[in-house]
């Protein structure tokens, strides 16, 4: 497949917990995704010894479709090694974090050496900084740098895109508002568990909130136009009967990603054709019981206060179990925990029919009338962090390899990058389901 490049796909950070899972996913799915073709894979990191141990532990598979990755030694502290990795790579999957400290070296090298890029970051300060500093450079280099291609934030970003598309296709409706409700489902008694690397990225993500506010002032991105009455976000914990759960505002990356997706399209005229009109968006986390709500508030309050300070971050990183009530650990989840966990995100959308728009043609008039079209959609799938995330980022990388002509160049979010590709269909085949639940 590679043209002028030695490797079609390089996984940087392949020795990490999630990096190993991404490699397993590539080995499992690449023969079917590229039938009759030879796809060349490399794994990259700073330790050749650890990379060799990864290869030694891979299952032996005979036949024409056998994938045997090569090794590239690359260190974010050594610019030439990073450029050498990207020089021979068509697409790089970045699986190594915290991205606030490690990610820029990979992004910069990819742009300089003409390699496309996807990652699994969930750190808003990092991906918004990359968009500010490198978007035009990536366009000039004719490469796509696509952030947040794991659970943060393909379900939310592509889910909003899917919902807007369904409103337009099924009802010829102009989208107005979308509310998202996230649920984590645990079927058995083993409970949910996360790995320390995910927790570490969250600590640094929360810790950079002040930098993010300053960055947004510097970026001076455009305001997102509001269609229809104002969507009010309820900042307090409250019971929502339509999802049968207590809810709190979603405090991870998804709202930042949705905002940036819409701002990029408004700001860059080259991206206008790929996107639907802007929409007001809010997101909430669903919590099943009052006891769980109280524990969530307690843990998140302590977490948020300590993450502001360097000493506090060190303390958080030293005691992951304590500050997540046992949810995150260095060991990570067991196979049983992964098998018994799943997620769903439900999108409650409203919009304006053509008939109503004809009666009220101006934005000022629409703000005085209620939307007359509603739609409920869903994105659901297996355990989000370590089962769904490898599936999502690998399918995003495959889309870059196979449908690059349909993907704009620049530093992008998933909905901006993959709006004209078959990514949603690819995800459906992997058990990440996009569906319309209720239409009216």
């Amino acid at each position: 497949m590679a043209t002028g490049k030695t490797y079609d796909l390089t996984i940087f950070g392949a020795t990490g917990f999630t990096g190993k899972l991404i490699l397993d996913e590539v080995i499992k799915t690449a023969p079917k995704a590229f039938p009759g073709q030879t796809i060349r894979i490399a794994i990259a990191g700073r330790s050749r010894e650890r990379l060799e141990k990864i290869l030694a532990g891979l299952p032996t598979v005979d036949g024409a479709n056998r994938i045997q990755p090569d090794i590239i030694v690359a260190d974010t502290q050594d610019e030439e090694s990073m450029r050498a990795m990207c020089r021979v790579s068509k697409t790089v999957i970045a699986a190594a974090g915290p991205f606030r400290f490690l990610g820029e070296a990979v992004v910069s090298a990819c742009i300089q050496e003409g390699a496309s890029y996807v990652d699994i970051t969930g750190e808003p300060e990092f991906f918004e900084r990359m968009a500010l500093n490198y978007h035009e450079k990536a366009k000039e280099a004719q490469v796509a740098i696509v952030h947040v291609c794991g659970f943060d934030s393909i379900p939310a970003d592509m889910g909003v895109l899917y919902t807007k598309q369904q409103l337009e296709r099924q009802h010829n409706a102009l989208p107005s508002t979308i509310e998202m409700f996230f649920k984590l489902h645990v079927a058995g008694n083993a409970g949910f568990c996360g790995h320390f690397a995910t927790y570490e990225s969250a600590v640094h993500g929360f810790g950079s909130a002040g930098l993010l506010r300053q960055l947004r002032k510097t970026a001076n991105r455009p305001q997102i136009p509001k269609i229809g009455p104002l969507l009010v976000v309820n900042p307090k914990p409250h019971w929502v009967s339509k999802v049968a759960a207590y809810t709190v505002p979603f405090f991870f990356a998804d709202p930042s990603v949705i905002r940036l997706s819409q701002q990029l399209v408004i700001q860059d005229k080259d991206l206008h054709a790929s996107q639907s009109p802007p929409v007001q968006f809010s997101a909430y986390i669903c919590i099943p019981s009052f006891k769980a709500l109280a524990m969530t508030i307690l843990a998140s309050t302590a977490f948020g206060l300590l993450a502001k300070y360097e000493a506090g971050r060190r303390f958080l990183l030293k005691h992951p179990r304590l500050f997540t009530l046992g949810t995150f650990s260095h060991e990570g989840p067991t196979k049983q925990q992964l098998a018994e966990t799943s997620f769903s995100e439900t999108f409650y959308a409203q919009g304006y029919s053509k008939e109503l728009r004809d009666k009220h043609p101006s934005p000022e008039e629409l703000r005085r009338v209620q939307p007359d079209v509603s739609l409920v959609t869903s994105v659901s799938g297996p355990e989000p962090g370590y089962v769904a995330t490898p599936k999502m980022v690998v399918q995003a990388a495959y889309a870059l390899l196979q449908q690059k002509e349909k993907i704009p160049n620049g530093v992008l979010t998933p909905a901006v990058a993959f709006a004209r590709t078959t990514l949603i269909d690819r995800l459906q085949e992997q058990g990440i389901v996009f569906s319309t639940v209720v239409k009216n």
Side-chain angles (χ1 to χ4, degrees), residues 2 8 81 214 245 285 290 314 347:
D8 298 295
S81 73
Q214 185 58 47
I285 296 173
F290 185 80
R314 288 198 301 267
F347 301 83

Side-chain angles (χ1 to χ4, degrees), residues 75-106:
D75 188 339
T76 55
Q77 301 302 309
D78 180 352
E79 181 182 356
E80 180 49 41
S81 73
M82 297 302 295
R83 292 190 62 172
M85 175 188 74
C86 296
R87 195 174 301 137
V88 297
S89 304
K90 195 170 183 179
T91 295
V92 173
I93 297 178
F99 286 86
R100 178 183 174 187
F101 303 120
L102 304 178
E104 185 169 0
V106 194

Side-chain angles (χ1 to χ4, degrees), residues 18 22 91-95 99 116-123 126-127 144-158 253-254 257 384-385 387-400 407 411-418 423 427 432:
T18 309
I22 291 170
T91 295
V92 173
I93 297 178
F99 286 86
S116 294
Y117 165 105
V118 291
D119 69 25
I120 57 170
T121 186
E123 301 169 37
F126 166 70
F127 61 74
I145 305 295
V146 193
H147 296 297
V148 290
C149 288
F151 179 69
D152 290 337
S153 289
I154 275 184
D157 205 25
M158 297 301 289
D254 289 357
V257 176
V387 179
T389 286
K391 293 178 183 294
M392 289 186 270
V393 74
V394 167
Q395 292 304 316
Y398 291 170
L400 273 170
I407 298 171
V411 179
L412 311 169
T413 55
V416 177
F418 302 116
L423 179 60
L427 295 171
I432 298 162

Side-chain angles (χ1 to χ4, degrees), residues 365-406:
E365 289 182 79
L366 284 181
R367 275 195 282 271
R368 292 194 292 269
V369 297
Q370 291 298 317
D372 62 336
V373 175
S374 62
L375 184 73
V376 182
T377 64
S378 172
V379 180
S380 60
E383 189 280 334
Y386 313 104
V387 179
T389 286
K391 293 178 183 294
M392 289 186 270
V393 74
V394 167
Q395 292 304 316
Y398 291 170
L400 273 170
L401 287 170
Q402 295 180 320
Q403 297 183 286
K404 182 61 179 71
E405 74 283 355
K406 295 185 176 182

